[in-house]
Amino acid sequence: MKKTEQLYEGKAKKVFATENPDYVIVSYKDDATAFNGLKKGTIAGKGVINNKMSNMLMQFLEKKGIHTHYVEEIDDRNTVVKKVRIVPLEVIIRNVAAGSFSKRYGVAEGTAFSAPTIEFSYKNDDLGDPLINDYHALALNLATAEEIENIKKTAFAVNEALKEFFRALNVDLIDFKLEFGRFKGEIVLADEISPDTCRFWEAGTWDTTQHTSLDKDRFRRDLGGVEDAYAEIFKRLTAGE
Ligand code: TMP
Ligand code: ASP
């Protein structure tokens, strides 16, 4: 499949049309931003890792019965996906307190929850992706009640599958963000699953005060070793192949 015209350029990816109206090609860049684009940088090799990692995980989730946008990997940075209409919600699942949860509610990072929790943000850069609840999503016509139920159920199922997957790599899945899209009347998992969109902590490092991040927090928080962290998680992911 070949690219025709560019449809969109986001912070970390470009999207191109193809000859097939049902499919687009996503092209992963090395560009990184944080804090709604305020912080900008480059993470060398990130595009390749995020493309390949996301594709591996989407295929793994398909096998678990979760419907995704994944169609076919073309090369290191380019993948054919279904042309979905994105539901403008960022769906965040958390297993352990970190990031904005810790800040907002005054809970120390590394505090484990007895059960996973979910939150929605309204995907809107101009508003800074504000936190919303199900009823706000309905009031804003972002999704139907049925779609929201489906999204919640699917997001928790993704969490169970991914937690187990990463546990075997000696990595704890702390939290992550998902996006969903509509394709031919169906809700499918879209966007990416990568160190840009997940918090991965080295297993066993977070019941103390310190933890070792193998994700984009190394960029967000200027922790150093950004490229190495992406390479390390990717190495573990591909070790068994
Ligand atoms: P948060 O603690 O900053 O709300 O982030 C929760 C999770 O969502 C974390 O794994 C990083 C991911 N995330 C994104 O994928 N995109 C974003 O714009 C933000 C703010 C977080
Ligand atoms: N990707 C988001 C941005 O630039 C934020 C993040 O991942 O922290 O704004």
Side-chain angles (χ1 to χ4, degrees):
M1 198 150 320
K2 281 203 300 284
K3 292 173 182 168
T4 55
E5 86 271 27
Q6 183 174 313
L7 298 175
Y8 171 78
E9 177 160 10
K11 295 182 196 120
K13 300 188 282 292
K14 293 180 184 175
V15 181
F16 296 87
T18 68
E19 303 98 334
N20 185 332
D22 285 339
Y23 292 159
V24 292
I25 292 174
V26 185
S27 190
Y28 285 75
K29 307 188 286 184
D30 285 350
D31 299 346
T33 63
F35 316 117
N36 201 15
L38 276 178
K39 179 175 178 143
K40 290 191 175 66
T42 307
I43 302 174
K46 168 171 93 80
V48 175
I49 289 173
N50 287 10
N51 180 42
K52 291 187 165 284
M53 178 165 174
S54 198
N55 292 344
M56 281 180 71
L57 295 175
M58 293 278 178
Q59 286 171 276
F60 166 75
L61 291 170
E62 285 279 355
K63 286 200 199 106
K64 298 268 176 186
I66 289 156
H67 298 175
T68 80
H69 71 167
Y70 178 77
V71 178
E72 181 192 15
E73 185 171 298
I74 299 179
D75 60 29
D76 275 2
R77 287 181 187 269
N78 294 284
T79 294
V80 182
V81 299
K82 294 166 189 161
K83 184 176 184 181
V84 303
R85 281 183 303 121
I86 287 284
V87 176
L89 288 173
E90 302 209 334
V91 180
I92 294 160
I93 297 273
R94 300 179 190 270
N95 296 304
V96 176
S100 68
F101 186 99
S102 290
K103 207 165 174 190
R104 183 177 307 116
Y105 303 118
V107 180
E109 288 200 305
T111 307
F113 304 141
S114 52
T117 187
I118 192 166
E119 70 203 40
F120 295 117
S121 290
Y122 175 23
K123 198 172 144 58
N124 183 318
D125 280 342
D126 294 339
L127 300 175
D129 298 339
L131 187 67
I132 60 171
N133 67 28
D134 302 25
Y135 290 92
H136 296 150
L138 283 173
L140 293 164
N141 281 318
L142 306 184
T144 66
E146 198 189 352
E147 284 174 332
I148 292 171
E149 278 318 301
N150 181 348
I151 285 171
K152 283 202 270 192
K153 207 172 107 230
T154 308
F156 281 120
V158 168
N159 184 42
E160 291 311 312
L162 292 185
K163 253 196 316 194
E164 193 185 314
F165 182 92
F166 282 102
R167 197 72 196 74
L169 307 179
N170 218 26
V171 168
D172 287 320
L173 178 64
I174 302 302
D175 58 33
F176 57 95
K177 184 262 300 178
L178 298 176
E179 294 184 26
F180 292 85
R182 302 180 182 98
F183 184 74
K184 297 185 190 285
E186 188 192 36
I187 289 284
V188 300
L189 181 60
D191 194 49
E192 67 181 274
I193 307 172
S194 72
D196 277 24
T197 63
C198 303
R199 283 196 174 92
F200 299 123
W201 291 1
E202 184 80 67
T205 63
W206 55 272
D207 42 359
T208 60
T209 49
Q210 289 295 320
H211 61 261
T212 305
S213 294
L214 296 170
D215 57 54
K216 194 177 166 189
D217 270 350
R218 302 205 76 84
F219 169 80
R220 295 188 189 101
R221 301 179 183 194
D222 295 322
L223 299 175
V226 184
E227 276 89 358
D228 288 349
Y230 278 72
E232 175 61 28
I233 195 110
F234 188 61
K235 192 183 89 188
R236 292 189 201 183
L237 206 67
T238 50
E241 275 189 325

